[in-house]
Amino acid sequence: MTQLYPFAGASAPEPLALRPSISDGLKVTPNTMGDAIKATDSYGRRFHYLRLSVTEVCNFRCTYCLPNGWKKSSPMNYMDTQEIRRLVFGFASMGLAKVRLTGGEPAVRKDLTSIIEAVSDIDGVNKVAMTTNGYNLNRYVDDWVSAGLSHLNISIDALNRETFLKITGHDRFEDVMAGLGRALEHDLGAVKVNAVLLRDSVEDGFKGWSDFVRNRPVTVRFIELMRTLDNAEFFADQHVSGEVLRGWLTQNGWAPKMRGIDDGPAIEFVHPDYVGRIGLIAPYSKGFCDSCNRLRVSAKGNMKLCLFGNGGLDLRDLLQSDGGLEEFQARVLGSLQSKNAGHRLSASNPGDTMNLAQTGG
Ligand code: SAM
Ligand code: SF4
């Protein structure tokens, strides 16, 4: 049987404990095996992008996500670096090219730098991205970039200290902005800011945000507030259609940019007088799921076919044992065939997603 974790030049797999580690300088080469099997679903969609949650824990209390803060409700037995490496290796053997580390808050993990290093060392993975609330960004972004981080999204929901504190529960605006500044000193593939589109922020207007990107090479992406099982009341009060932003942008000289193959569901707008861009992620818009190219795996190794689906596929046993690559591929591929055409958010059905910290938004 083909083993799940072959190393370059290794004729037969060694017992797990004896295997060379990445720090020995050996590259993992998933494309040497199982190359022909690609992660596709019954609608012909190809999945080359993995959103990987590394923890459910978060230190912030964002109003739309974890308004009462993260509470432990089950054991914190999250995948370790070795399991994560195996998981990503398995997906890379099926055509995966991009991994986004998310959570919870990924930066609460003390071994985050080694996780980034392990993931970026896997052949076939050419983008290692992360979404963070900016915690410890200023302190560690240099290490993360040295370890292989190539793309960064920072969640910043307001451009002033008071509103930032009100939304996140933390008086960290200055620190997060310093982290953003530090990140921009690196030659990253992209630095983006995520901001959830809330009725309150719309009332403050978009002018401040466009000023923010006038001279900064940053894309601010507004995400339409999504309904989860936890936030029904908040959603009813604060959800605003992305059309409001789209209308403002059009009226103010911003034009939608041509979409690239790896762009995902965001529409980005450009303006000749602005260095940065403004983007919109509108999950309630028609056709949003048609170009879905992503899979999600929870911090405990459970693959979710859709952010707003039910249940998932447990892969953990294969990651904890010396499992075979063929078994991994067959399990993933089999599950992908039951992926639905789209989510049912418009019918107020968020599946079993309590909040986005649980699965990694
Ligand atoms: N803690 C990290 C952060 O906040 O960037 C990563 C995890 S967070 C769940 C990922 C993204 O999901 C963040 O940009 C956050 O703003 C967004 N998010 C969380 N809950 C959301 C919701 N109900 N609707 C829309 N976006 C949401
Ligand atoms: Fe934490 Fe991110 Fe959720 Fe905010 S959006 S509570 S930072 S997981």
Side-chain angles (χ1 to χ4, degrees):
M1 180 173 68
T2 307
Q3 294 295 320
L4 181 47
Y5 316 110
F7 288 85
S11 50
E14 297 170 43
L16 208 52
L18 299 177
R19 287 194 175 164
S21 72
I22 286 167
S23 57
D24 293 328
L26 292 172
K27 291 282 275 186
V28 182
T29 55
N31 293 332
T32 55
M33 302 201 183
D35 201 24
I37 298 176
K38 297 289 179 210
T40 47
D41 71 1
S42 57
Y43 297 92
R45 293 175 294 194
R46 286 266 306 266
F47 299 91
H48 49 78
Y49 176 17
L50 174 68
R51 295 182 68 103
L52 174 59
S53 175
V54 295
T55 179
E56 292 168 5
V57 180
C58 188
N59 52 346
F60 277 22
R61 299 190 294 274
C62 299
T63 45
Y64 49 79
C65 183
L66 294 173
N68 302 314
W70 178 81
K71 302 248 171 6
K72 184 176 170 188
S73 58
S74 63
M76 293 160 64
N77 54 337
Y78 307 132
M79 287 183 288
D80 63 21
T81 308
Q82 173 78 318
E83 290 171 89
I84 288 174
R85 187 156 145 270
R86 292 171 163 184
L87 177 90
V88 175
F89 179 90
F91 280 108
S93 77
M94 304 175 77
L96 177 82
K98 174 176 174 183
V99 178
R100 175 172 300 280
L101 304 177
T102 179
E105 174 46 45
V108 303
R109 270 193 76 148
K110 291 201 167 53
D111 56 352
L112 180 61
T113 305
S114 359
I115 293 174
I116 295 171
E117 190 183 6
V119 170
S120 73
D121 227 27
I122 293 173
D123 241 13
V125 175
N126 53 38
K127 285 185 186 170
V128 181
M130 179 163 76
T131 302
T132 174
N133 62 21
Y135 171 65
N136 268 339
L137 180 63
N138 195 25
R139 193 164 167 202
Y140 290 121
V141 69
D142 297 357
D143 294 351
W144 298 338
V145 174
S146 299
L149 186 76
S150 63
H151 292 68
L152 186 64
N153 284 18
I154 310 163
S155 302
I156 306 176
D157 291 305
L159 292 176
N160 66 75
R161 188 176 159 188
E162 293 72 30
T163 316
F164 184 93
L165 168 63
K166 211 171 110 192
I167 295 177
T168 64
H170 281 258
D171 191 6
R172 279 184 175 267
F173 178 69
E174 304 294 344
D175 184 44
V176 172
M177 292 302 282
L180 168 65
R182 186 88 193 160
L184 286 172
E185 286 170 22
H186 290 278
D187 189 23
L188 285 163
V191 176
K192 298 183 181 177
V193 166
N194 287 357
V196 177
L197 191 64
L198 302 173
R199 185 172 302 284
D200 288 348
S201 40
V202 169
E203 280 165 13
D204 290 344
F206 298 114
K207 172 83 170 56
W209 288 101
S210 60
D211 289 348
F212 181 73
V213 298
R214 186 180 283 278
N215 296 310
R216 278 191 186 87
V218 166
T219 299
V220 172
R221 301 190 323 166
F222 285 93
I223 312 173
E224 249 185 50
L225 176 64
M226 294 176 240
R227 163 90 152 80
T228 62
L229 289 177
D230 277 352
N231 75 2
E233 217 173 296
F234 185 85
F235 179 86
D237 183 47
Q238 288 292 322
H239 178 260
V240 181
S241 163
E243 290 308 311
V244 176
L245 172 65
R246 199 198 290 267
W248 185 89
L249 290 169
T250 312
Q251 275 166 21
N252 288 276
W254 292 79
K257 170 187 150 286
M258 287 287 288
R259 292 167 60 76
I261 191 167
D262 198 28
D263 280 354
I267 305 166
E268 288 189 1
F269 292 77
V270 290
H271 191 296
D273 300 337
Y274 293 77
V275 174
R277 296 174 180 170
I278 297 186
L280 171 64
I281 301 178
Y284 289 85
S285 64
K286 197 167 169 289
F288 181 80
C289 303
D290 295 354
S291 57
C292 184
N293 62 358
R294 58 206 55 204
L295 293 172
R296 292 185 161 80
V297 174
S298 77
K300 294 182 181 174
N302 194 46
M303 183 175 91
K304 266 205 112 165
L305 292 174
C306 173
L307 182 54
F308 297 106
N310 285 297
L313 175 74
D314 188 14
L315 296 169
R316 194 81 184 265
D317 58 318
L318 292 175
L319 310 175
Q320 289 180 333
S321 67
D322 201 6
L325 181 63
E326 284 144 7
E327 193 178 343
F328 180 91
Q329 292 173 333
R331 205 182 279 186
V332 169
L333 206 56
S335 171
L336 270 176
Q337 304 323 300
S338 62
K339 181 171 162 70
N340 291 328
H343 62 62
R344 301 189 55 231
L345 276 181
S346 297
S348 298
N349 182 348
D352 57 12
T353 298
M354 303 302 294
N355 51 65
L356 266 52
Q358 179 195 33
T359 30

Short mmCIF file of all heavy atoms in Angstrom, two decimals, residues 51 58 62 64-65 102-106 131-133 153-155 157 194-196 223-228 231 356-357 360-361, ligand 1:
data_model
loop_
_atom_site.label_atom_id
_atom_site.label_comp_id
_atom_site.label_asym_id
_atom_site.label_seq_id
_atom_site.Cartn_x
_atom_site.Cartn_y
_atom_site.Cartn_z
N ARG A 51 -8.69 25.72 3.92
CA ARG A 51 -8.74 26.62 5.09
C ARG A 51 -8.62 25.73 6.32
O ARG A 51 -9.52 24.94 6.60
CB ARG A 51 -10.03 27.43 5.09
CG ARG A 51 -10.10 28.38 3.90
CD ARG A 51 -11.35 29.21 3.95
NE ARG A 51 -11.34 30.15 5.03
CZ ARG A 51 -11.10 31.45 4.89
NH1 ARG A 51 -10.84 31.95 3.71
NH2 ARG A 51 -11.12 32.26 5.93
N CYS A 58 -10.02 31.56 21.05
CA CYS A 58 -9.78 32.94 20.64
C CYS A 58 -9.71 33.84 21.86
O CYS A 58 -10.40 33.62 22.84
CB CYS A 58 -10.85 33.43 19.67
SG CYS A 58 -10.38 35.05 19.02
N CYS A 62 -15.38 39.28 19.51
CA CYS A 62 -16.03 40.09 18.47
C CYS A 62 -17.55 39.94 18.56
O CYS A 62 -18.07 38.82 18.72
CB CYS A 62 -15.52 39.69 17.10
SG CYS A 62 -13.75 39.96 16.94
N TYR A 64 -19.91 39.93 16.52
CA TYR A 64 -20.61 39.09 15.53
C TYR A 64 -20.20 37.62 15.60
O TYR A 64 -20.75 36.79 14.91
CB TYR A 64 -20.32 39.63 14.11
CG TYR A 64 -18.84 39.89 13.87
CD1 TYR A 64 -17.97 38.87 13.57
CD2 TYR A 64 -18.32 41.18 13.98
CE1 TYR A 64 -16.62 39.09 13.37
CE2 TYR A 64 -16.96 41.42 13.79
CZ TYR A 64 -16.12 40.37 13.48
OH TYR A 64 -14.78 40.60 13.29
N CYS A 65 -19.17 37.32 16.42
CA CYS A 65 -18.60 35.95 16.40
C CYS A 65 -18.67 35.29 17.78
O CYS A 65 -19.37 34.29 17.96
CB CYS A 65 -17.17 36.05 15.90
SG CYS A 65 -16.31 34.47 15.73
N THR A 102 -6.19 29.44 10.03
CA THR A 102 -7.19 30.29 10.64
C THR A 102 -7.58 29.67 11.97
O THR A 102 -6.93 28.79 12.50
CB THR A 102 -8.37 30.50 9.65
OG1 THR A 102 -9.36 31.32 10.28
CG2 THR A 102 -9.02 29.21 9.19
N GLY A 103 -8.68 30.14 12.55
CA GLY A 103 -9.09 29.61 13.84
C GLY A 103 -10.54 29.99 14.12
O GLY A 103 -11.28 30.28 13.18
N GLY A 104 -10.82 30.15 15.33
CA GLY A 104 -10.17 30.71 16.50
C GLY A 104 -9.07 31.69 16.09
O GLY A 104 -9.04 32.16 14.97
N GLU A 105 -8.22 31.97 17.02
CA GLU A 105 -7.11 32.86 16.67
C GLU A 105 -5.83 32.04 16.56
O GLU A 105 -5.31 31.56 17.58
CB GLU A 105 -6.98 33.97 17.73
CG GLU A 105 -5.77 34.86 17.55
CD GLU A 105 -5.55 35.33 16.11
OE1 GLU A 105 -6.53 35.75 15.46
OE2 GLU A 105 -4.42 35.27 15.62
N PRO A 106 -5.29 31.90 15.33
CA PRO A 106 -4.09 31.07 15.16
C PRO A 106 -2.91 31.52 16.02
O PRO A 106 -2.13 30.68 16.50
CB PRO A 106 -3.77 31.19 13.67
CG PRO A 106 -4.73 32.16 13.07
CD PRO A 106 -5.81 32.41 14.04
N THR A 131 -5.20 34.09 8.46
CA THR A 131 -6.14 35.12 8.89
C THR A 131 -6.00 35.26 10.39
O THR A 131 -6.10 34.27 11.12
CB THR A 131 -7.60 34.74 8.52
OG1 THR A 131 -7.67 34.54 7.11
CG2 THR A 131 -8.56 35.85 8.89
N THR A 132 -5.74 36.49 10.84
CA THR A 132 -5.49 36.72 12.26
C THR A 132 -6.20 37.99 12.73
O THR A 132 -6.46 38.89 11.92
CB THR A 132 -3.97 36.86 12.53
OG1 THR A 132 -3.75 37.24 13.89
CG2 THR A 132 -3.31 37.90 11.63
N ASN A 133 -6.46 38.05 14.01
CA ASN A 133 -7.05 39.28 14.55
C ASN A 133 -5.95 40.30 14.87
O ASN A 133 -6.23 41.37 15.40
CB ASN A 133 -7.92 38.99 15.79
CG ASN A 133 -7.12 38.39 16.95
OD1 ASN A 133 -5.90 38.51 17.04
ND2 ASN A 133 -7.83 37.71 17.84
N ASN A 153 -4.08 38.04 6.04
CA ASN A 153 -5.32 38.81 6.22
C ASN A 153 -5.43 39.18 7.69
O ASN A 153 -5.33 38.30 8.55
CB ASN A 153 -6.56 37.98 5.84
CG ASN A 153 -6.73 37.84 4.34
OD1 ASN A 153 -5.79 38.05 3.58
ND2 ASN A 153 -7.92 37.47 3.93
N ILE A 154 -5.65 40.46 7.95
CA ILE A 154 -5.78 40.92 9.33
C ILE A 154 -7.20 41.46 9.49
O ILE A 154 -7.65 42.27 8.68
CB ILE A 154 -4.76 42.05 9.63
CG1 ILE A 154 -3.36 41.61 9.18
CG2 ILE A 154 -4.77 42.41 11.10
CD1 ILE A 154 -2.39 42.78 9.05
N SER A 155 -7.87 41.00 10.52
CA SER A 155 -9.24 41.47 10.74
C SER A 155 -9.22 42.76 11.55
O SER A 155 -8.77 42.77 12.70
CB SER A 155 -10.05 40.39 11.49
OG SER A 155 -10.03 39.21 10.72
N ASP A 157 -11.96 45.76 12.21
CA ASP A 157 -13.33 46.16 11.90
C ASP A 157 -13.60 47.65 12.05
O ASP A 157 -14.69 48.11 11.72
CB ASP A 157 -14.31 45.39 12.80
CG ASP A 157 -14.35 43.91 12.43
OD1 ASP A 157 -14.61 43.62 11.25
OD2 ASP A 157 -14.10 43.07 13.30
N ASN A 194 -9.60 42.42 6.70
CA ASN A 194 -11.00 41.97 6.69
C ASN A 194 -11.82 42.85 7.61
O ASN A 194 -11.42 43.06 8.77
CB ASN A 194 -11.12 40.54 7.24
CG ASN A 194 -10.59 39.48 6.28
OD1 ASN A 194 -10.18 39.78 5.17
ND2 ASN A 194 -10.63 38.24 6.72
N ALA A 195 -12.94 43.32 7.13
CA ALA A 195 -13.85 44.08 8.00
C ALA A 195 -15.26 43.56 7.76
O ALA A 195 -15.70 43.44 6.61
CB ALA A 195 -13.78 45.57 7.66
N VAL A 196 -15.95 43.21 8.82
CA VAL A 196 -17.32 42.72 8.66
C VAL A 196 -18.24 43.92 8.44
O VAL A 196 -18.13 44.94 9.12
CB VAL A 196 -17.76 41.88 9.89
CG1 VAL A 196 -19.21 41.43 9.73
CG2 VAL A 196 -16.86 40.66 10.04
N ILE A 223 -16.77 41.90 4.51
CA ILE A 223 -17.48 40.62 4.49
C ILE A 223 -18.89 40.85 4.99
O ILE A 223 -19.08 41.40 6.09
CB ILE A 223 -16.81 39.59 5.42
CG1 ILE A 223 -15.29 39.54 5.19
CG2 ILE A 223 -17.43 38.21 5.26
CD1 ILE A 223 -14.55 38.66 6.21
N GLU A 224 -19.85 40.49 4.17
CA GLU A 224 -21.24 40.58 4.63
C GLU A 224 -21.40 39.73 5.88
O GLU A 224 -20.92 38.59 5.92
CB GLU A 224 -22.18 40.02 3.56
CG GLU A 224 -23.04 41.06 2.90
CD GLU A 224 -24.04 40.41 1.95
OE1 GLU A 224 -24.74 39.45 2.34
OE2 GLU A 224 -24.10 40.87 0.80
N LEU A 225 -22.06 40.28 6.86
CA LEU A 225 -22.30 39.53 8.10
C LEU A 225 -23.06 38.24 7.78
O LEU A 225 -24.06 38.25 7.07
CB LEU A 225 -23.13 40.40 9.06
CG LEU A 225 -23.56 39.74 10.36
CD1 LEU A 225 -22.36 39.39 11.24
CD2 LEU A 225 -24.50 40.67 11.13
N MET A 226 -22.55 37.12 8.29
CA MET A 226 -23.20 35.83 8.04
C MET A 226 -23.93 35.37 9.29
O MET A 226 -23.46 35.54 10.41
CB MET A 226 -22.17 34.79 7.63
CG MET A 226 -21.53 35.10 6.29
SD MET A 226 -20.23 33.92 5.90
CE MET A 226 -18.81 34.98 5.77
N ARG A 227 -25.04 34.74 9.05
CA ARG A 227 -25.87 34.21 10.12
C ARG A 227 -25.26 32.90 10.60
O ARG A 227 -24.92 32.03 9.80
CB ARG A 227 -27.27 33.99 9.54
CG ARG A 227 -28.17 33.11 10.33
CD ARG A 227 -28.97 33.92 11.33
NE ARG A 227 -30.24 33.27 11.60
CZ ARG A 227 -30.41 32.25 12.42
NH1 ARG A 227 -29.39 31.75 13.07
NH2 ARG A 227 -31.62 31.73 12.61
N THR A 228 -25.09 32.76 11.91
CA THR A 228 -24.67 31.48 12.48
C THR A 228 -25.73 31.07 13.51
O THR A 228 -26.68 31.84 13.78
CB THR A 228 -23.30 31.61 13.18
OG1 THR A 228 -23.43 32.54 14.25
CG2 THR A 228 -22.22 32.08 12.22
N ASN A 231 -25.73 33.77 16.42
CA ASN A 231 -25.87 35.23 16.32
C ASN A 231 -27.17 35.72 15.68
O ASN A 231 -27.19 36.83 15.11
CB ASN A 231 -24.64 35.83 15.59
CG ASN A 231 -24.67 35.57 14.08
OD1 ASN A 231 -25.61 34.98 13.55
ND2 ASN A 231 -23.64 36.02 13.37
N LEU A 356 -18.19 31.31 13.61
CA LEU A 356 -17.12 31.04 12.65
C LEU A 356 -15.79 30.69 13.32
O LEU A 356 -14.89 30.17 12.68
CB LEU A 356 -16.97 32.21 11.68
CG LEU A 356 -17.77 32.05 10.37
CD1 LEU A 356 -19.22 31.72 10.61
CD2 LEU A 356 -17.64 33.26 9.48
N ALA A 357 -15.67 30.98 14.62
CA ALA A 357 -14.45 30.60 15.33
C ALA A 357 -14.35 29.08 15.45
O ALA A 357 -13.26 28.51 15.53
CB ALA A 357 -14.44 31.22 16.73
N GLY A 360 -13.36 28.02 11.71
CA GLY A 360 -12.40 28.83 10.96
C GLY A 360 -13.13 29.45 9.80
O GLY A 360 -13.39 28.79 8.81
N GLY A 361 -13.47 30.72 9.92
CA GLY A 361 -14.37 31.38 8.96
C GLY A 361 -13.86 31.40 7.53
O GLY A 361 -12.82 30.90 7.22
N1 SAM B 1 -9.50 35.06 14.62
C1 SAM B 1 -9.08 35.31 13.30
C2 SAM B 1 -9.64 36.61 12.78
O1 SAM B 1 -10.57 37.14 13.37
O2 SAM B 1 -9.11 37.08 11.78
C3 SAM B 1 -9.42 34.19 12.35
C4 SAM B 1 -10.74 33.50 12.49
S1 SAM B 1 -12.16 34.51 12.11
C5 SAM B 1 -13.47 33.37 12.38
C6 SAM B 1 -12.04 34.64 10.36
C7 SAM B 1 -12.82 35.78 9.73
O3 SAM B 1 -14.20 35.52 9.88
C8 SAM B 1 -12.57 37.14 10.35
O4 SAM B 1 -12.18 38.06 9.35
C9 SAM B 1 -13.89 37.53 10.93
O5 SAM B 1 -14.12 38.91 10.86
C10 SAM B 1 -14.87 36.75 10.08
N2 SAM B 1 -16.14 36.46 10.73
C11 SAM B 1 -16.36 35.88 11.92
N3 SAM B 1 -17.69 35.73 12.15
C12 SAM B 1 -18.32 36.25 11.07
C13 SAM B 1 -19.69 36.38 10.70
N4 SAM B 1 -20.67 35.95 11.47
N5 SAM B 1 -19.96 36.95 9.50
C14 SAM B 1 -18.97 37.38 8.68
N6 SAM B 1 -17.66 37.26 8.97
C15 SAM B 1 -17.33 36.72 10.16
#
